[in-house]
């Protein structure tokens, strides 16, 4: 048996109501407030399976969210026709940055012998700065950010309406009570832009 998951809010582009295998909220208008979406789970048997096996399919699934900011009903009864449940994502409780969680569905009759029958992935991106907001201005900056070898710092910024370019300034400062940096170091800047129906590889910049 294969369990097919469809969610009605995927966050593609600027539209809602599209169907995907999970919930993906990346636009600022999607993650500014709490979001509720409908999730449909349908069991699929082999096309050669007899009708008696399809009619006899009856699974009581236990739904377990992996994070407190994702809530849903605790159980989901599944037959061959499938069933749905409402999923709530508390975006307003999340700090800026990228966040991931999922809802795992387990067979209640065999909770310890099998892994999850299906998973519903939930990804939320909350911007560190929304320069489209009224009175936000045209610049965004932060300082006092310590770096260590291999450290990756991700920042999500909503550009102003009509922006076609950006200038990025990086300043490396010495450690406290030191006049120079401890040694030579290199910083890599990797920027990407999200545009509808466009591959991210066409819009990335690395220096």
């Amino acid at each position: 048996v294969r369990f097919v998951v469809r969610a009605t809010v995927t966050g593609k582009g600027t539209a809602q109501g599209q169907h995907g295998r999970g919930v993906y909220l990346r636009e600022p208008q999607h993650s500014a407030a709490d979001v509720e979406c409908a999730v449909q789970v349908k069991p699929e048997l082999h096309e050669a399976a007899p009708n008696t096996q399809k009619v006899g399919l009856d699974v009581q699934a236990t739904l377990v969210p992996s994070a407190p900011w994702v809530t849903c009903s605790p159980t989901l009864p599944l037959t061959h026709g499938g069933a749905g449940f409402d999923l709530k994502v508390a975006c307003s409780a999340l700090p800026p940055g990228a966040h991931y969680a999922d809802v795992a569905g387990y067979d209640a009759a065999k909770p310890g012998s099998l892994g999850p029958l299906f998973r519903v992935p939930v990804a939320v991106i909350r911007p560190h700065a929304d320069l489209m907001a009224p009175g936000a201005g045209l610049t965004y900056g932060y300082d006092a950010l310590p770096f260590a070898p291999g450290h990756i710092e991700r920042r999500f910024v909503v550009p102003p309406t009509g922006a076609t370019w950006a200038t990025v300034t990086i300043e490396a400062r010495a450690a406290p009570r030191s006049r120079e940096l401890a040694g030579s170091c290199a910083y890599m800047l990797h920027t990407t832009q999200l545009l509808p129906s466009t591959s991210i590889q066409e819009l990335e910049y690395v220096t």
Side-chain angles (χ1 to χ4, degrees):
V1 180
R2 184 169 68 100
F3 294 86
V4 179
V5 176
R6 290 289 182 266
T8 56
V9 176
T10 59
K12 295 178 181 178
T14 57
Q16 294 192 10
Q18 303 183 34
H19 292 264
R21 65 176 300 269
V23 179
Y24 182 26
L25 305 171
R26 76 182 188 192
E27 305 293 339
Q29 65 268 29
H30 296 160
S31 62
D34 296 350
V35 174
E36 292 187 11
C37 63
V39 179
Q40 189 74 19
V41 181
K42 183 178 181 181
E44 288 190 353
L45 285 81
H46 192 274
E47 59 183 10
N51 288 333
T52 55
Q53 186 176 355
K54 296 179 181 178
V55 173
L57 181 64
D58 186 7
V59 177
Q60 185 75 14
T62 301
L63 303 179
V64 182
S66 64
W69 47 274
V70 177
T71 56
C72 62
S73 60
T75 59
L76 178 68
L78 288 171
T79 60
H80 178 253
F85 65 94
D86 292 330
L87 178 67
K88 183 176 181 180
V89 184
C91 300
S92 58
L94 298 174
H99 306 273
Y100 175 82
D102 62 39
V103 176
Y106 296 89
D107 188 346
K110 305 174 182 177
S113 60
L114 297 175
L117 303 175
F118 58 88
R119 290 185 184 273
V120 183
V122 181
V124 179
I125 296 178
R126 299 207 70 196
H128 293 82
D130 185 357
L131 302 185
M132 291 181 61
L138 301 177
T139 62
Y140 164 69
Y142 59 94
D143 55 12
L145 181 65
F147 271 85
H151 175 78
I152 298 177
E153 181 70 20
R154 291 184 174 90
R155 297 280 164 157
F156 301 92
V157 179
V158 181
T161 302
T164 58
W165 56 271
T167 300
V168 180
T169 302
I170 300 177
E171 179 182 354
R173 299 176 182 175
R177 300 181 182 180
S178 174
R179 296 182 179 179
E180 298 179 351
L181 293 172
S184 61
C185 58
Y187 293 89
M188 177 179 292
L189 176 66
H190 181 197
T191 63
T192 59
Q193 181 183 5
L194 296 178
L195 290 179
S197 304
T198 305
S199 171
I200 196 172
Q201 280 127 357
E202 299 180 19
L203 302 170
E204 64 180 354
Y205 174 78
V206 181
T207 182

